Amino acid sequence: MELIRKILIMEAASDISLDYNYHYELMKEIYRSLEISNPALALQIHEEGFRIENKKYKLFTNQFFIENAQYTKDFIKIKKGSKCKLIISGLKEVVKNIVLGFLEKENLNLFNYKFKILNFENDKKIKFNKVTLYKVRNPIVATRQDENKHIIFVNPFEEDFYKILANNLKRKYKIIYNKEYEGELYFDIEDTFSVKKRLISNIKSKFMLIGYSGFELYLVADTDMQKVAYYCGLGSNNVLGMGAVTYVTSRRD
């Protein structure tokens, strides 16, 4: 399976007051675009995804960047004509069809606010090495179940956080490369004081996620595993954009 990133370039069609918790609305727009381009693939990804160890993965994620936005207490204020970028990242077939659907649809609609699609770009060429530093821009969500099977959100100050991330990556790796990961896999936060807790709401049925972002994270792994983290995201709920990271730098050891 090949992994890629594409970047959609767009502009705000009007002055916009965007809710911080736009992730579910964005996910729905992404699925609509995939359905326009390839209905059968959209149905397969939405309903089945890729199953392993009784877990289901979609193997794509997203990040939304807005230029010159004003971040107020309640909204992201965006001026008409402001440029924005939507990064779609993951399996090549899925990413390609999402982008084609957006180009045909010609806009992104969030809470009835429209962003006009202007063009798309390829991702910059990344040279992955054994030690790579990523910026965590979208919150990483890591969960476990307690003895009553209730969902517990785990934070980066707990050892379980990194075990959960590692196991999650290993399952994605096995789906993508059709083999177990047997290399080194280690995480380290550059500055723990930069970690920010984030509540993600506006998800169906009043469901809320708790994630952590704003920090830089070192990942020590082989280059194939680095690609899984970069293209598919860390932790869970990647289809909502959770755990999407940007590349900072890397070195051999």
Side-chain angles (χ1 to χ4, degrees), residues 174-217:
K174 187 173 181 179
I175 294 170
I176 293 166
Y177 299 114
N178 195 31
K179 62 181 180 180
E180 300 285 350
Y181 181 71
E182 298 179 350
E184 188 175 6
L185 186 55
Y186 175 76
F187 303 90
D188 187 29
I189 292 180
E190 175 75 354
D191 177 11
T192 55
F193 291 105
S194 63
V195 174
K196 297 177 182 177
K197 182 178 180 180
R198 172 84 185 279
L199 304 180
I200 304 98
S201 60
N202 278 346
I203 303 173
K204 59 182 180 180
S205 302
K206 298 183 180 180
F207 183 65
M208 180 179 290
L209 300 174
I210 300 175
Y212 298 85
S213 63
F215 57 96
E216 293 185 342
L217 181 71

Side-chain angles (χ1 to χ4, degrees), residues 23 26-27 30 60-63 137-140 233-234 236-245:
H23 302 89
L26 178 54
M27 182 197 73
I30 289 171
F60 74 88
T61 189
N62 66 83
Q63 296 181 70
R137 299 187 182 276
N138 286 12
I140 295 176
L234 297 169
S236 61
N237 299 97
N238 304 132
V239 71
L240 287 166
M242 301 301 103
V245 298

